Amino acid sequence: MEKGLVIKSTGSWYQVKTETGDILPCKIRGKFRSMGIRTTNPIAVGDQVQFTFDKKSEHGVITSIEPRKNYIIRRSINLSKQAHILAANIDQAFLMVTLVKPKTYPEFIDRFLVSAEAYTIPAKIIFNKTDLYDTAAHNEMQSLKNIYEKIGYPCYIISAREKTGVDTVSELLKDRISLISGHSGVGKSTLINAIDPELNLKTTEISQYHDSGKHTTTFPEMHALVSGGYIIDTPGIKGFGVVDMDKEELSHYFPEIFARSTQCQYYNCSHSHEPNCAVKKGVQDGLIAESRYRSYISLLVGDEDEKYRSNAY
Ligand SMILES: Nc1nc2c(ncn2[C@@H]2O[C@H](COP(=O)(O)OP(=O)(O)OP(=O)(O)O)[C@@H](O)[C@H]2O)c(=O)[nH]1
Ligand SMILES: [Mg+2]
Ligand SMILES: [Zn+2]
């Protein structure tokens, strides 16, 4: 029995990095229950597993998974209600945002942050392609940065193409397992290449995206960085389907809304229609960003669910 780290998962095959640093193709034997969660994939990138080596077929057979520190899941594309585990054992999650080519909207950012909060994964925001921003885009970025930093999400301003701001991000990745997420074409793989050119990940000109509708990165994949640590590159996502949660629970994942809710008149205030709501007052007084409140209400009502259901791959 050996131990290893799952660095790639493509359906039935897994790439496992052994303790001696070899990369071994592995399969799972028979039915594999993923610790009580109903998922389309029992094992994900970032899982620590035990395996035996099958000499005849020259591949490993995964026999068990170590308990996960955390994991991040997405609702699967089909409506079977099954979840898909994106990755496990993550120290921090970066959301890459671009204001042009393509445009990322605040509601998408907020859905990502809600998921990260729900899984207790520290989240950070990277604004990329700033070399393409005009004054209006720069102003928009600045106002988003203000909103998110004020509520505890660090923001980084970079151009992966021009390699500005890349060193700062690179520092943050040292000796940690980081996940990077964001729409297709925002430059996730380009950033990883800028940090470690040896990895030479595939990237695609944005102009070619519209024609094919394809994603360049198609499976989450973990890359060891020369500086120590791992980065998990993920396929672009169209929407972040938030896992099912109770409506009462939702406000816990908006830190600034949660903080003010103790001052609402009703202890179970949903901050939507109740009188003397400290959250609504906070929005009026400019203490809570309107865009954040709109995202909260949209999730509460669930009306945008179809639009944002994750359907990337
Ligand atoms: N101008 C500019 N272009 C960039 C920048 N970063 C990435 N790009 C370009 O954006 C396109 C898409 O980059 P990728 O790195 O493939 O995007 P991705 O996020 O990995 O996309 P998926 O793998 O499909 O999710 C490429 O043509 C990159 O050269 C940047 O900072 N500035
Ligand atoms: Mg990519
Ligand atoms: Zn309220």
Side-chain angles (χ1 to χ4, degrees):
M1 196 86 85
E2 277 191 77
K3 274 190 182 177
L5 172 68
V6 177
I7 58 169
K8 189 172 182 178
S9 134
T10 56
S12 53
W13 282 100
Y14 301 91
Q15 278 185 14
V16 174
K17 191 171 174 191
T18 69
E19 284 184 324
T20 51
D22 296 326
I23 291 164
L24 189 70
C26 287
K27 287 198 141 186
I28 45 179
R29 188 177 286 146
K31 275 231 179 295
F32 209 94
R33 279 252 142 209
S34 190
M35 289 177 270
I37 323 162
R38 263 186 63 192
T39 58
T40 48
N41 58 333
I43 296 175
V45 164
D47 267 326
Q48 299 279 357
V49 295
Q50 257 128 37
F51 65 92
T52 52
F53 186 67
D54 187 74
K55 282 216 177 79
K56 218 168 61 197
S57 56
E58 298 210 323
H59 67 248
V61 178
I62 297 172
T63 52
S64 65
I65 327 177
E66 302 272 300
R68 294 179 177 127
K69 179 172 97 173
N70 60 30
Y71 54 86
I72 191 154
I73 60 181
R74 302 226 324 262
R75 266 194 230 143
S76 68
I77 338 161
N78 57 36
L79 300 175
S80 65
K81 287 249 170 178
Q82 286 204 37
H84 184 88
I85 307 179
L86 257 186
N89 302 318
I90 306 154
D91 293 319
Q92 56 185 347
F94 289 90
L95 180 68
M96 186 172 264
V97 167
T98 49
L99 296 181
V100 294
K101 291 187 168 189
K103 175 144 177 95
T104 307
Y105 290 93
E107 180 143 12
F108 176 80
I109 302 175
D110 295 334
R111 282 175 179 249
F112 176 86
L113 296 176
V114 164
S115 296
E117 290 290 338
Y119 301 120
T120 62
I121 301 169
K124 294 164 188 180
I125 298 169
I126 297 173
F127 292 95
N128 189 32
K129 302 202 183 184
T130 53
D131 56 292
L132 300 178
Y133 293 6
D134 59 12
T135 312
H138 267 287
N139 291 342
E140 192 183 342
M141 172 178 71
Q142 206 53 53
S143 89
L144 288 171
K145 184 174 184 281
N146 291 344
I147 290 173
Y148 290 109
E149 289 201 320
K150 200 170 119 195
I151 56 175
Y153 301 106
C155 294
Y156 304 93
I157 293 173
I158 73 160
S159 164
R161 179 172 285 178
E162 317 249 283
K163 298 191 170 58
T164 51
V166 171
D167 289 348
T168 311
V169 175
S170 179
E171 278 293 312
L172 300 169
L173 304 180
K174 269 195 183 131
D175 302 325
R176 290 155 123 183
I177 296 181
S178 309
L179 175 113
I180 186 159
S181 189
H183 287 314
S184 194
V186 294
K188 300 179 291 296
S189 301
T190 305
L191 169 65
I192 298 172
N193 283 337
I195 290 169
D196 190 349
E198 299 256 302
L199 292 170
N200 200 13
L201 305 181
K202 206 169 158 239
T203 64
T204 303
E205 276 303 319
I206 191 84
S207 58
Q208 286 162 7
Y209 273 83
H210 302 293
D211 309 332
S212 67
K214 272 205 203 114
H215 303 270
T216 311
T217 306
T218 48
F219 289 101
E221 190 168 0
M222 196 168 194
H223 306 284
L225 298 167
V226 274
S227 56
Y230 290 92
I231 182 125
I232 303 168
D233 191 11
T234 63
I237 47 178
K238 290 209 184 94
F240 223 86
V242 172
V243 255
D244 297 318
M245 56 178 80
D246 292 339
K247 301 277 181 206
E248 297 85 67
E249 216 184 325
L250 181 62
S251 68
H252 298 214
Y253 306 131
F254 283 80
E256 77 280 38
I257 291 180
F258 189 55
R260 287 189 71 82
S261 61
T262 52
Q263 295 165 45
C264 294
Q265 180 176 351
Y266 298 99
Y267 82 93
N268 60 350
C269 185
S270 72
H271 323 302
S272 55
H273 59 273
E274 295 87 345
N276 300 324
C277 168
V279 170
K280 281 195 289 184
K281 176 103 184 10
V283 178
Q284 276 161 17
D285 295 348
L287 299 169
I288 293 174
E290 273 177 40
S291 64
R292 292 277 296 165
Y293 182 69
R294 270 200 301 276
S295 295
Y296 167 77
I297 292 294
S298 144
L299 277 164
L300 186 74
V301 177
D303 60 344
E304 300 282 291
D305 253 25
E306 280 310 315
K307 197 165 113 198
Y308 285 94
R309 197 172 292 262
S310 49
N311 53 354
Y313 62 94

mmCIF file of all heavy atoms in Angstrom, residues 95-112:
data_model
loop_
_atom_site.group_PDB
_atom_site.id
_atom_site.type_symbol
_atom_site.label_atom_id
_atom_site.label_comp_id
_atom_site.label_asym_id
_atom_site.label_seq_id
_atom_site.Cartn_x
_atom_site.Cartn_y
_atom_site.Cartn_z
ATOM 1 N N LEU A 95 -10.352 33.814 -7.560
ATOM 2 C CA LEU A 95 -11.273 34.009 -8.670
ATOM 3 C C LEU A 95 -10.628 35.010 -9.609
ATOM 4 O O LEU A 95 -10.283 36.123 -9.206
ATOM 5 C CB LEU A 95 -12.627 34.548 -8.195
ATOM 6 C CG LEU A 95 -13.628 34.769 -9.339
ATOM 7 C CD1 LEU A 95 -14.058 33.437 -9.960
ATOM 8 C CD2 LEU A 95 -14.839 35.546 -8.871
ATOM 9 N N MET A 96 -10.454 34.601 -10.870
ATOM 10 C CA MET A 96 -9.898 35.544 -11.837
ATOM 11 C C MET A 96 -11.051 36.252 -12.533
ATOM 12 O O MET A 96 -11.961 35.623 -13.060
ATOM 13 C CB MET A 96 -8.999 34.824 -12.844
ATOM 14 C CG MET A 96 -8.305 35.803 -13.756
ATOM 15 S SD MET A 96 -7.061 35.024 -14.800
ATOM 16 C CE MET A 96 -5.578 35.314 -13.865
ATOM 17 N N VAL A 97 -10.971 37.568 -12.492
ATOM 18 C CA VAL A 97 -12.029 38.420 -13.021
ATOM 19 C C VAL A 97 -11.448 39.285 -14.129
ATOM 20 O O VAL A 97 -10.322 39.779 -13.998
ATOM 21 C CB VAL A 97 -12.554 39.324 -11.868
ATOM 22 C CG1 VAL A 97 -13.421 40.452 -12.376
ATOM 23 C CG2 VAL A 97 -13.285 38.498 -10.813
ATOM 24 N N THR A 98 -12.187 39.451 -15.233
ATOM 25 C CA THR A 98 -11.773 40.422 -16.249
ATOM 26 C C THR A 98 -12.968 41.315 -16.548
ATOM 27 O O THR A 98 -14.112 40.851 -16.545
ATOM 28 C CB THR A 98 -11.317 39.727 -17.565
ATOM 29 O OG1 THR A 98 -12.297 38.754 -17.948
ATOM 30 C CG2 THR A 98 -9.978 39.033 -17.390
ATOM 31 N N LEU A 99 -12.699 42.588 -16.800
ATOM 32 C CA LEU A 99 -13.808 43.500 -17.083
ATOM 33 C C LEU A 99 -14.033 43.646 -18.585
ATOM 34 O O LEU A 99 -15.036 44.199 -19.016
ATOM 35 C CB LEU A 99 -13.564 44.851 -16.414
ATOM 36 C CG LEU A 99 -13.535 44.725 -14.880
ATOM 37 C CD1 LEU A 99 -13.306 46.056 -14.213
ATOM 38 C CD2 LEU A 99 -14.820 44.089 -14.355
ATOM 39 N N VAL A 100 -13.079 43.168 -19.370
ATOM 40 C CA VAL A 100 -13.264 43.072 -20.818
ATOM 41 C C VAL A 100 -12.708 41.732 -21.290
ATOM 42 O O VAL A 100 -11.817 41.171 -20.665
ATOM 43 C CB VAL A 100 -12.520 44.200 -21.590
ATOM 44 C CG1 VAL A 100 -13.130 45.563 -21.273
ATOM 45 C CG2 VAL A 100 -11.025 44.220 -21.277
ATOM 46 N N LYS A 101 -13.289 41.237 -22.365
ATOM 47 C CA LYS A 101 -12.776 40.014 -23.041
ATOM 48 C C LYS A 101 -12.441 38.864 -22.112
ATOM 49 O O LYS A 101 -11.264 38.500 -22.007
ATOM 50 C CB LYS A 101 -11.567 40.377 -23.889
ATOM 51 C CG LYS A 101 -11.886 41.231 -25.082
ATOM 52 C CD LYS A 101 -10.638 41.368 -25.924
ATOM 53 C CE LYS A 101 -11.003 41.973 -27.276
ATOM 54 N NZ LYS A 101 -9.883 41.934 -28.199
ATOM 55 N N PRO A 102 -13.325 38.233 -21.457
ATOM 56 C CA PRO A 102 -14.770 38.513 -21.372
ATOM 57 C C PRO A 102 -15.072 39.367 -20.156
ATOM 58 O O PRO A 102 -14.200 39.589 -19.339
ATOM 59 C CB PRO A 102 -15.347 37.104 -21.164
ATOM 60 C CG PRO A 102 -14.296 36.416 -20.330
ATOM 61 C CD PRO A 102 -12.984 36.965 -20.801
ATOM 62 N N LYS A 103 -16.316 39.814 -20.070
ATOM 63 C CA LYS A 103 -16.726 40.626 -18.910
ATOM 64 C C LYS A 103 -17.255 39.720 -17.803
ATOM 65 O O LYS A 103 -18.063 38.839 -18.043
ATOM 66 C CB LYS A 103 -17.804 41.605 -19.345
ATOM 67 C CG LYS A 103 -18.371 42.395 -18.178
ATOM 68 C CD LYS A 103 -18.709 43.822 -18.590
ATOM 69 C CE LYS A 103 -19.351 44.576 -17.440
ATOM 70 N NZ LYS A 103 -18.405 45.361 -16.668
ATOM 71 N N THR A 104 -16.754 39.958 -16.613
ATOM 72 C CA THR A 104 -17.236 39.217 -15.447
ATOM 73 C C THR A 104 -18.159 40.139 -14.659
ATOM 74 O O THR A 104 -17.793 41.276 -14.375
ATOM 75 C CB THR A 104 -16.048 38.811 -14.542
ATOM 76 O OG1 THR A 104 -15.076 38.122 -15.324
ATOM 77 C CG2 THR A 104 -16.505 37.897 -13.407
ATOM 78 N N TYR A 105 -19.353 39.665 -14.332
ATOM 79 C CA TYR A 105 -20.319 40.485 -13.603
ATOM 80 C C TYR A 105 -20.254 40.229 -12.097
ATOM 81 O O TYR A 105 -19.918 39.127 -11.667
ATOM 82 C CB TYR A 105 -21.730 40.228 -14.145
ATOM 83 C CG TYR A 105 -21.908 40.782 -15.530
ATOM 84 C CD1 TYR A 105 -21.675 39.991 -16.659
ATOM 85 C CD2 TYR A 105 -22.249 42.120 -15.708
ATOM 86 C CE1 TYR A 105 -21.801 40.512 -17.940
ATOM 87 C CE2 TYR A 105 -22.378 42.651 -16.988
ATOM 88 C CZ TYR A 105 -22.150 41.844 -18.099
ATOM 89 O OH TYR A 105 -22.263 42.368 -19.356
ATOM 90 N N PRO A 106 -20.604 41.264 -11.317
ATOM 91 C CA PRO A 106 -20.531 41.129 -9.853
ATOM 92 C C PRO A 106 -21.323 39.937 -9.316
ATOM 93 O O PRO A 106 -20.906 39.288 -8.368
ATOM 94 C CB PRO A 106 -21.134 42.440 -9.339
ATOM 95 C CG PRO A 106 -20.980 43.403 -10.452
ATOM 96 C CD PRO A 106 -21.001 42.629 -11.719
ATOM 97 N N GLU A 107 -22.437 39.642 -9.916
ATOM 98 C CA GLU A 107 -23.248 38.539 -9.408
ATOM 99 C C GLU A 107 -22.495 37.203 -9.480
ATOM 100 O O GLU A 107 -22.612 36.350 -8.603
ATOM 101 C CB GLU A 107 -24.548 38.437 -10.204
ATOM 102 C CG GLU A 107 -25.401 37.310 -9.689
ATOM 103 C CD GLU A 107 -26.873 37.617 -9.706
ATOM 104 O OE1 GLU A 107 -27.277 38.614 -10.325
ATOM 105 O OE2 GLU A 107 -27.612 36.849 -9.078
ATOM 106 N N PHE A 108 -21.720 37.062 -10.528
ATOM 107 C CA PHE A 108 -20.893 35.851 -10.670
ATOM 108 C C PHE A 108 -19.825 35.812 -9.574
ATOM 109 O O PHE A 108 -19.579 34.784 -8.955
ATOM 110 C CB PHE A 108 -20.254 35.851 -12.065
ATOM 111 C CG PHE A 108 -19.308 34.714 -12.300
ATOM 112 C CD1 PHE A 108 -19.778 33.452 -12.631
ATOM 113 C CD2 PHE A 108 -17.936 34.902 -12.186
ATOM 114 C CE1 PHE A 108 -18.897 32.397 -12.841
ATOM 115 C CE2 PHE A 108 -17.052 33.862 -12.392
ATOM 116 C CZ PHE A 108 -17.537 32.602 -12.728
ATOM 117 N N ILE A 109 -19.209 36.968 -9.339
ATOM 118 C CA ILE A 109 -18.195 37.059 -8.280
ATOM 119 C C ILE A 109 -18.823 36.666 -6.943
ATOM 120 O O ILE A 109 -18.268 35.863 -6.191
ATOM 121 C CB ILE A 109 -17.615 38.497 -8.187
ATOM 122 C CG1 ILE A 109 -16.992 38.920 -9.519
ATOM 123 C CG2 ILE A 109 -16.608 38.611 -7.037
ATOM 124 C CD1 ILE A 109 -16.500 40.370 -9.561
ATOM 125 N N ASP A 110 -19.997 37.203 -6.680
ATOM 126 C CA ASP A 110 -20.639 36.951 -5.386
ATOM 127 C C ASP A 110 -21.016 35.491 -5.219
ATOM 128 O O ASP A 110 -20.919 34.938 -4.130
ATOM 129 C CB ASP A 110 -21.858 37.865 -5.225
ATOM 130 C CG ASP A 110 -21.441 39.322 -5.153
ATOM 131 O OD1 ASP A 110 -20.297 39.590 -4.738
ATOM 132 O OD2 ASP A 110 -22.240 40.199 -5.530
ATOM 133 N N ARG A 111 -21.446 34.861 -6.293
ATOM 134 C CA ARG A 111 -21.770 33.431 -6.201
ATOM 135 C C ARG A 111 -20.532 32.604 -5.887
ATOM 136 O O ARG A 111 -20.581 31.658 -5.117
ATOM 137 C CB ARG A 111 -22.419 32.950 -7.497
ATOM 138 C CG ARG A 111 -23.851 33.365 -7.542
ATOM 139 C CD ARG A 111 -24.537 33.028 -8.829
ATOM 140 N NE ARG A 111 -25.907 33.483 -8.696
ATOM 141 C CZ ARG A 111 -26.963 32.670 -8.600
ATOM 142 N NH1 ARG A 111 -26.810 31.369 -8.689
ATOM 143 N NH2 ARG A 111 -28.162 33.166 -8.430
ATOM 144 N N PHE A 112 -19.440 32.989 -6.482
ATOM 145 C CA PHE A 112 -18.192 32.284 -6.190
ATOM 146 C C PHE A 112 -17.831 32.456 -4.714
ATOM 147 O O PHE A 112 -17.476 31.506 -4.017
ATOM 148 C CB PHE A 112 -17.070 32.828 -7.079
ATOM 149 C CG PHE A 112 -15.730 32.225 -6.774
ATOM 150 C CD1 PHE A 112 -15.346 31.032 -7.367
ATOM 151 C CD2 PHE A 112 -14.856 32.830 -5.881
ATOM 152 C CE1 PHE A 112 -14.117 30.458 -7.072
ATOM 153 C CE2 PHE A 112 -13.632 32.265 -5.581
ATOM 154 C CZ PHE A 112 -13.260 31.074 -6.187
#
